Amino acid sequence: MKTDGIILDVDGTLWDATPAAADGYNDAIAARGMTSPHVTAGQLRGLFGRPIPAIADAVFPDLVPDDRYALIEECMKYQGKHLQETQLDMLYPGVADTIPMLAGQIPLFIVSNCQAGYIETFLKKSGLTPFIKDHLCPADTGLVKGPNIRQIIERYQLEKPVYVGDIDADRSAAEEAGAAFCFASYGYGEAQRADYIIDTFADLIPLFSDR
């Protein structure tokens, strides 16, 4: 048995929502009467996966902390609206088919450093709600990714958990939680090391499925 539970990251692993997210950020900035910065999808690809306050620090360094954290909350609201309304196909290739196949054999979970409601939006847009056993984000627990992965492991008594993510912070969170790390090389970043590497999401099937 290679794993008894796969815990998934969202951004850079399951989908790329940065074009719609960037539109949301820019709407929030404009609603404040500000003309800059102009946020791009590429910029967000380099930031997603960090805790939201850290994203605010990177995007709005010229604002005082109270203002930047208030603005990032507005960005999250506008981002949520754009994600719900967009007609873009944001899923990575293979995700829609692979998750149902895996879920028939292995419990699947999601842990992300995203805002409240983001995982639910992903599940609704993707139609994958029935296949995800549980999910956590900082809004649920007040904790960041590593401790939240650990909560899933303990809650479901997983003995050989695997966390799938696309940046080195995902690797360190998995190690902190006591999970093996599977690096999604097609995502947003790099990883110092990994127990497994996938070049497409569908590569999870030969790695962990009996099919």
Side-chain angles (χ1 to χ4, degrees):
M1 181 180 66
K2 291 183 179 179
T3 181
D4 55 353
I6 297 176
I7 308 167
L8 302 161
D9 175 44
V10 178
D11 293 302
T13 300
L14 298 175
W15 73 357
D16 179 8
T18 54
D23 288 342
Y25 275 62
N26 290 322
D27 281 357
I29 291 165
R32 281 287 188 100
M34 299 166 56
T35 58
S36 65
H38 177 75
V39 178
T40 68
Q43 180 183 11
L44 293 181
R45 286 187 192 104
L47 297 173
F48 274 16
R50 302 183 189 185
I52 291 170
I55 296 176
D57 293 340
V59 176
F60 307 118
D62 295 333
L63 298 181
V64 299
D66 285 350
D67 288 345
R68 78 175 66 140
Y69 300 140
L71 181 52
I72 199 71
E73 291 301 320
E74 291 301 307
C75 290
M76 297 298 101
K77 293 177 184 177
Y78 279 91
Q79 171 184 280
K81 181 175 184 291
H82 276 273
L83 290 176
Q84 291 170 13
E85 295 177 353
T86 185
Q87 298 301 308
L88 294 173
D89 181 4
M90 300 180 289
L91 290 181
Y92 282 113
V95 170
D97 296 328
T98 300
I99 282 185
M101 292 179 65
L102 286 173
Q105 300 181 53
I106 305 164
L108 302 182
F109 310 89
I110 290 177
V111 171
S112 170
N113 273 337
C114 60
Q115 72 272 24
Y118 189 84
I119 297 173
E120 290 85 349
T121 297
F122 164 79
L123 291 171
K124 182 178 179 181
K125 293 288 288 188
S126 65
L128 295 171
T129 301
F131 308 106
I132 301 300
K133 191 174 182 68
D134 202 352
H135 54 80
L136 286 178
C137 73
D140 299 317
T141 63
L143 303 171
V144 293
K145 188 169 286 183
N148 279 335
I149 296 171
R150 189 66 204 167
Q151 284 214 11
I152 291 289
I153 292 170
E154 293 175 350
R155 183 179 298 175
Y156 294 94
Q157 299 180 331
L158 303 179
E159 296 181 358
K160 293 188 176 181
V162 174
Y163 187 74
V164 184
D166 65 300
I167 60 175
D168 198 58
D170 293 333
R171 186 269 313 162
S172 61
E175 290 180 356
E176 177 186 0
F181 178 59
C182 179
F183 175 56
S185 67
Y186 54 83
Y188 295 162
E190 303 293 335
Q192 292 183 10
R193 56 186 173 272
D195 299 288
Y196 307 96
I197 298 175
I198 54 172
D199 297 319
T200 69
F201 192 80
D203 290 344
L204 289 173
I205 293 174
L207 272 178
F208 299 116
S209 170
D210 293 333
R211 297 181 185 179

